[in-house]
Amino acid sequence: MRIDVDAFKVLQVLVEEGSFAKAAERLHKAQSAVSYQVKKLEQHLGVSLFSRDQYRAELTPEGRVILAEGQRLLAHLANIEHLASRFSEGWEPKLELVIDGALPMEPIMTALKRMAEHQIPTKIQLNMEFLGGVQHRFERDNADLMLVKDYRTGPYYSAQALPAITSVLVTAAHHPLAGGKKLSLTELQQHVELTIEDSSPVKTYRDELQFGGDKVFYLSGFIMKKNALLKGLGFGWMPDFLIHQELQDGSLKEIDFVGGSRYTFTPQLVSTLERPLGRAGRLFTELILEEFARNEGVTGGLG
């Protein structure tokens, strides 16, 4: 025998009204029907829910615990009904995003905050990867969108360009390279190069911006890389939005390299036609494009 969920609603009304007669009136039922529903629940659970020797309908200690659990159950059921209603409006159950750690998080977080304000039912999962790991995870997990620095295109991929980002070749102010002029590739290769490790397990991504020296430290993220740079551990490329303050206060210095100390890349927002975006995916796409454009306007360009 299954528990009658409506019986918990009856219990709630009984407690609020204080009598079977008043509860029956509020529920538009016969008093005998209310009494029967409560008795049937008691028989099913094997406990007395109400003290029958009281003038008012009062819960037993066991009844109070069971009513509390019943109220939680009713809340869960109401939430399920709400979710089902929203899903029927075109919201997908889950939206999975894979973000390249080289991209600015401010516009991404703002876009997600704006999505939350829509009170959508979609569960959003955000994963951060680096280099080839972004596309690897996008394909492995059948994710919905990737915001990526670079990727291998395919016949079903659809991409939208985001504002360009500039990376700067820097080192600490006290590092030997900081004071050099017109430094050659050979001179750079004498020092430790700091770079980001490809988070793909197959390590197929080849970073063409590496300098080819024997002294290379691979780090797992840009925060760690920035700290290593400030310590004077070596030199390396950093997205300029992460080091504006350090370039201004002089704690990091742009390296005077004959091959150039800046390069610009255009990140892409990529989906695949094999997994068409639902309503939440389309909303996020709209918001992220707006936020990146706004961020570009505020900063005078991400590059």
Side-chain angles (χ1 to χ4, degrees):
M1 176 182 174
R2 296 176 180 175
I3 294 177
D4 180 4
V5 175
D6 287 338
F8 292 112
K9 297 179 182 178
V10 171
L11 292 185
Q12 179 68 46
V13 173
L14 264 172
V15 171
E16 292 173 355
E17 296 296 335
S19 74
F20 281 83
K22 290 182 179 179
E25 182 179 351
R26 177 171 157 185
L27 292 167
H28 305 291
K29 293 184 176 183
Q31 183 173 334
S32 58
V34 173
S35 298
Y36 174 75
Q37 199 167 12
V38 173
K39 189 166 187 62
K40 187 169 66 171
L41 181 61
E42 289 178 320
Q43 290 173 344
H44 177 69
L45 297 175
V47 296
S48 295
L49 301 175
F50 283 93
S51 299
R52 263 72 175 184
D53 56 350
Q54 302 293 328
Y55 173 75
R56 288 178 56 83
E58 292 187 1
L59 290 169
T60 62
E62 298 84 355
R64 285 194 292 271
V65 174
I66 288 172
L67 176 58
E69 291 300 318
Q71 289 171 328
R72 276 192 279 270
L73 173 61
L74 291 173
H76 284 308
L77 290 174
N79 187 50
I80 290 172
E81 290 176 349
H82 172 72
L83 290 174
S85 173
R86 301 306 300 274
F87 289 146
S88 70
E89 297 170 358
W91 298 106
E92 58 269 45
K94 182 179 178 181
L95 178 67
E96 185 169 353
L97 315 170
V98 187
I99 310 296
D100 193 309
L103 304 187
M105 292 304 295
E106 176 65 25
I108 296 170
M109 292 296 106
T110 303
L112 291 174
K113 182 176 182 294
R114 290 177 64 188
M115 284 194 75
E117 292 168 354
H118 284 264
Q119 297 184 333
I120 65 174
T122 303
K123 176 184 177 182
I124 298 175
Q125 180 175 336
L126 187 148
N127 307 297
M128 181 177 289
E129 299 287 346
F130 297 92
L131 301 175
V134 180
Q135 187 164 4
H136 174 81
R137 185 155 189 172
F138 177 74
E139 294 174 346
R140 184 198 70 186
D141 294 356
N142 291 323
D144 301 288
L145 284 163
M146 63 176 172
L147 280 75
V148 63
K149 176 182 176 182
D150 193 16
Y151 72 103
R152 302 179 310 278
T153 189
Y156 299 107
Y157 283 175
S158 174
Q160 298 184 68
L162 297 171
I165 293 174
T166 294
S167 279
V168 187
L169 187 62
V170 296
T171 192
H174 58 275
H175 190 276
L177 290 174
K181 300 296 182 182
K182 302 298 181 183
L183 295 167
S184 67
L185 176 61
T186 302
E187 288 175 297
L188 290 186
Q189 289 175 340
Q190 303 309 307
H191 299 272
V192 173
E193 179 182 358
L194 304 174
T195 190
I196 298 297
E197 184 179 21
D198 183 354
S199 63
S200 167
V202 293
K203 310 296 181 189
T204 56
Y205 186 93
R206 180 177 177 272
D207 188 352
E208 297 179 352
L209 291 168
Q210 280 190 233
F211 292 91
D214 295 329
K215 304 173 182 178
V216 181
F217 284 7
Y218 290 91
L219 305 170
S220 61
F222 282 99
I223 300 303
M224 186 182 295
K225 184 175 182 179
K226 181 176 176 178
N227 289 334
L229 286 165
L230 290 168
K231 285 287 186 182
L233 187 59
F235 71 98
W237 296 101
M238 283 291 291
D240 68 346
F241 64 86
L242 287 176
I243 55 170
H244 276 145
Q245 183 60 45
E246 288 74 17
L247 288 175
Q248 288 180 358
D249 65 26
S251 55
L252 288 179
K253 295 290 187 180
E254 187 169 345
I255 295 175
D256 187 8
F257 172 50
V258 294
S261 60
R262 293 185 174 231
Y263 82 93
T264 299
F265 64 91
T266 302
Q268 304 285 327
L269 176 63
V270 182
S271 61
T272 172
L273 301 178
E274 294 177 317
R275 298 185 293 278
L277 294 176
R279 192 171 176 182
R282 294 192 299 272
L283 176 61
F284 178 79
T285 297
E286 175 186 331
L287 295 176
I288 199 67
L289 291 173
E290 287 180 5
E291 290 305 323
F292 265 88
R294 181 179 292 113
N295 196 67
E296 183 184 31
V298 169
T299 61
L302 292 169

